[in-house]
Amino acid sequence: MQNYQALLARLAEIGHINTSAAVLGWDQQCYMPTGGAQERSEQLAVLGKIAHELHVAEETGRLLQAAEGEAAGMPDGSDEKLTLRVVRRDYDKATKLPTELVTEIAKATTLGHETWVKAREASNWAQFAPTVEHLLDLSRQVAEAYGYEDRPYDALLDQYEPGMKTVEVERVFGDLRTGLVALVKDLAAAPPVDDSVLRRDFAPEQQKAFGEFIVAKMGYDFERGRQDKAVHPFCTSFGRSDVRITTRFDRNWLPCALMGTVHETGHALYEQGFDPGDDNTPLSDAASLGFHESQSRLWENIVGRSRGFWDVYYGDLQRHFPGVLDEVSVDAFYKAINKVEPSLIRVEADEVTYCLHIMLRFEMEKGLIDGSIAVKDVPDAWNAKMSEYLGITPPNDAEGCLQDIHWSGASFGYFPTYALGTILSAQLFDKATSDHPAITTDLAEGEFASLLSWLRENVHKPGARYLPAELVQRACGEPAQSHSYLHYLNTKFRAVYSI
Ligand code: ZN
């Protein structure tokens, strides 16, 4: 296995370049003075170029081919075979795109971002439309270069959700849509929940202290991570032993930092939980973006917004903010953090309406890629779907079809992963609690170790060994389905709204 070992050593080196770049990226968002921007973008570009050149070099291809020969006689489920499958995928992806196309996309997306920012400021889709036309054209070329069996959109999805097909997403979303629209209608007809208690004065230092107290309880290892402030919160990893989270504090909106921190910690627990034996190998990675999001949503929503969680920790929260929530009952607080209200902006959407925002974008993207929706018609198509799914219509493009950054970066195929992850979070939680009923009683006592341990064994430790569909099957004993999620939402929110 000489070539196999040489290949892994080479990939580990490339990995170190990429994590070094990630450290610079983290610093850029957390601490770098604004004056450093130009220099930093050049530093990151150089590191990115070195890593890319090493990856697509003929030597990598030669070692890969030779290693595949060495592993040919091994069982399909062996770590060597599974590792080589990951490496082959990544290598083919990286080498299939013609250099001119890669350069063109880099230029078009840099420009695209500027155009999008201006168009959004002007709230004018027509200003952004020619850019979208161009980026769609480039994305279709990407799909052709990668290749696909059924539909070009499959190839775009596959970049974020390996092996996922459009028809499979349609199957999972289709069941969900009807159920969600009905639930949203019922909740909208019920007396509204008052969430004004969340807008009181919450000192940021105390928000930080309470957030760190909670995420340490969840199992986030501060010896192998830390939390800092950033404008757009994220989780970043420099290897299993240094996984960092960031947050932002809004003095008058408690969920911003609190639920954001729990969300990013869900991502971080995944990264901190890869198998130590896989360190510095291609297996020490997430199965997909959807799986990543399943972890953040599970902790944020299913655990962090549950009645059991607040029955245990509400007293601690009150103690962190003396005098602020004294007369607010746990019941009122629990309802407040679970308020449902159809709204225009995806990133501000609640647990129930969120997936409808995603389905809308999925429908739009499919139509744009296959040409059944013309770019100029996007605002009308968008608004019609908002009205159909959520019963509200955006008053302008900025609060409608221009709100997200994704299309300016040609990231067609990315949106579905948010909803796939959300749906999966409920499916995984169902399986975890049916495998180990003690998880339910532990959670009711504020203990998270048994849940984390199930996730470690079934999701975190397998790392990138399996395709998302294979991992769902292994972890849950069935393919991805939305019944668990729909059941969870109906049970929880019909109780919150007493309907
Ligand atoms: Zn996330």
Side-chain angles (χ1 to χ4, degrees), residues 30 48 64 66 115 121 123 137 143 186 190 225 240 266 307 358 363 383 389 407 435 471 484:
C30 296
L64 174 55
T115 317
E121 272 166 20
S123 191
D137 179 49
D186 289 353
R240 187 181 54 86
R307 182 60 200 244
I358 297 303
E363 299 293 326
N383 295 350
Y389 293 173
W407 292 347
D435 279 0
L471 190 55
S484 296

Side-chain angles (χ1 to χ4, degrees), residues 22-31 220 226-238 243-248 260-261 263-265 267-268:
V23 179
L24 290 180
W26 167 83
D27 172 73
Q28 181 176 33
Q29 298 200 52
C30 296
Y31 292 104
Y220 179 68
R226 52 177 286 133
Q227 176 173 254
D228 295 88
K229 281 199 288 182
V231 180
H232 301 287
F234 60 95
C235 165
T236 184
S237 168
F238 316 139
V243 183
R244 306 195 185 182
I245 53 174
T246 64
T247 192
R248 73 175 154 201
T261 298
H263 179 100
E264 298 309 330
T265 299
H267 284 302

